[in-house]
Amino acid sequence: MVIDMLVQPMLYGEICTPGDEPDGFGFWSREFGMGHMGPMDWDELQVEMDVCDVQKSLLMPLDVTTACGGHFGTNDQIAMLVAAHPDRLWGFASVDPRVSSAAGELERAFTELGAKGLCLHPAKQGFDPDDAVAEPLYELCERYNKPVVFHAGMSWEPGAELSRSNPLAFEHTIATHPNVRFSLTHFGWPWVRETVAMLLKYPNCYTDTSITYIDSPEEMMQRLFTVDMGPLWYERALSHQVMFASNTPRFRAFKLKRALDTVSMRDDARERLYWGNALRFLEGDE
């Protein structure tokens, strides 16, 4: 079984609308940097999940109201997709911290829409993780026992400066909210060692495998798990804090799962990587 902790919703045909309106596919293509990708029907998406044994995909919307004037999937759209495919999809919520109604919208997403957590991308949304405007959101996450996913590391989105996505930029927020679980996406690549340092120091910090690969996913996963920090770093020290994630559709889950299957590790460590750590992150259970 696999839980994919990072799936972008913009290619889900059920919520795609044409045009360049704030929630239209033209807007998504321009502001997210979709390239030549186009909408996909559910049958096609489900086949991809089945090929690599992904039982649950976590849909991550993004509210870019202040920065760009729209959303990469609204909270209601995510809830609609989850309701249509409850056996295969879970959803996070996203709000713009600089909008006055952000806390109220996040609470609605938690209590009425069933959102599993909060997704934020400070570099794209245009705020610092420790800005005071974000504090009410972290407080809500602690109150409702919901985790936070921060987009960190390499970001393809136009206007999302890489210097604002270094894993260390999130340290103060993670350090001062020990009762909130945070995940830094993409293993913070290219700042892999900084990400490992964050995981070692802060038990409430997680990361995922949706790392950018230049040539092949097999080469990148072998380097990540056997070269960058030594051949056994994951099993020996951090096997409870790394989760499977693909960043579909930019990088496909079946390719990443195929690559990770080639990395040697104990069965229990692989189970935690593929699904156990995701449940721990989502639910807060030890």
Side-chain angles (χ1 to χ4, degrees):
M1 181 175 83
V2 179
I3 297 175
D4 189 343
M5 281 297 301
L6 179 54
V7 172
Q8 309 288 351
M10 286 84 75
L11 287 191
Y12 280 65
E14 291 159 276
I15 64 170
C16 282
T17 56
D20 199 32
E21 297 302 315
D23 297 318
F25 188 77
F27 173 83
W28 294 342
S29 181
R30 184 183 70 253
E31 293 295 341
F32 183 75
M34 299 288 286
H36 298 292
M37 296 180 286
M40 301 168 70
D41 293 333
W42 171 250
D43 288 346
E44 184 178 0
L45 293 160
Q46 184 173 240
V47 166
E48 279 204 12
M49 294 173 68
D50 291 343
V51 164
C52 53
D53 196 29
V54 171
Q55 298 301 306
K56 293 285 188 179
S57 289
L58 273 293
L59 300 178
M60 297 286 171
L62 192 65
D63 185 342
V64 289
T65 298
T66 302
C68 307
H71 304 76
F72 300 153
T74 66
N75 296 329
D76 288 294
Q77 286 175 323
I78 299 304
M80 182 194 75
L81 287 170
V82 171
H85 311 287
D87 57 330
R88 305 304 296 271
L89 300 179
W90 285 332
F92 267 49
S94 185
V95 294
D96 183 341
R98 293 188 288 173
V99 173
S100 61
S101 59
E105 170 61 13
L106 182 60
E107 189 162 25
R108 182 183 77 92
F110 287 163
T111 60
E112 298 180 19
L113 302 182
K116 294 288 187 181
L118 170 63
C119 178
L120 296 173
H121 190 339
K124 180 65 176 178
Q125 292 175 292
F127 74 99
D128 292 327
D130 57 354
D131 276 354
V133 292
E135 187 59 34
L137 308 182
Y138 306 143
E139 292 175 357
L140 281 170
C141 288
E142 180 172 356
R143 184 191 314 168
Y144 287 100
N145 189 32
K146 302 289 188 179
V148 178
V149 166
F150 278 133
H151 284 267
M154 174 66 182
S155 176
W156 295 89
E157 291 88 341
E161 297 178 0
L162 294 180
S163 61
R164 303 184 68 180
S165 295
N166 189 304
L168 298 183
F170 303 91
E171 182 178 16
H172 182 73
T173 298
I174 293 172
T176 55
H177 296 84
N179 296 321
V180 179
R181 300 176 300 284
F182 296 90
S183 179
L184 303 178
T185 64
H186 314 316
F187 219 101
W189 187 89
W191 298 285
V192 169
R193 294 194 174 199
E194 286 84 347
T195 301
V196 169
M198 290 288 291
L199 299 179
L200 287 170
K201 186 166 185 177
Y202 301 106
N204 62 322
C205 184
Y206 292 67
T207 192
D208 69 51
T209 62
S210 62
I211 189 170
T212 299
Y213 52 86
I214 305 301
D215 293 317
S216 76
E218 284 81 5
E219 291 174 357
M220 291 298 287
M221 288 302 105
Q222 286 291 339
R223 179 173 182 86
L224 176 65
F225 279 89
T226 67
V227 177
D228 281 333
M229 294 298 299
L232 294 172
W233 68 265
Y234 168 68
E235 292 185 25
R236 288 176 173 170
L238 297 171
S239 68
H240 290 84
Q241 290 166 270
V242 183
M243 304 178 288
F244 178 90
S246 68
N247 199 25
T248 295
R250 205 180 293 283
F251 298 106
R252 311 313 274 260
F254 73 92
K255 293 182 179 181
L256 185 58
K257 170 63 162 48
R258 182 185 65 204
L260 283 166
D261 283 344
T262 70
V263 178
S264 177
M265 66 181 72
R266 297 192 314 266
D267 289 344
D268 62 312
R270 191 178 301 279
E271 288 180 358
R272 286 193 289 273
L273 177 67
Y274 283 168
W275 60 269
N277 291 340
L279 293 180
R280 184 170 176 260
F281 176 73
L282 292 169
E283 299 170 4
D285 296 332
E286 295 297 328

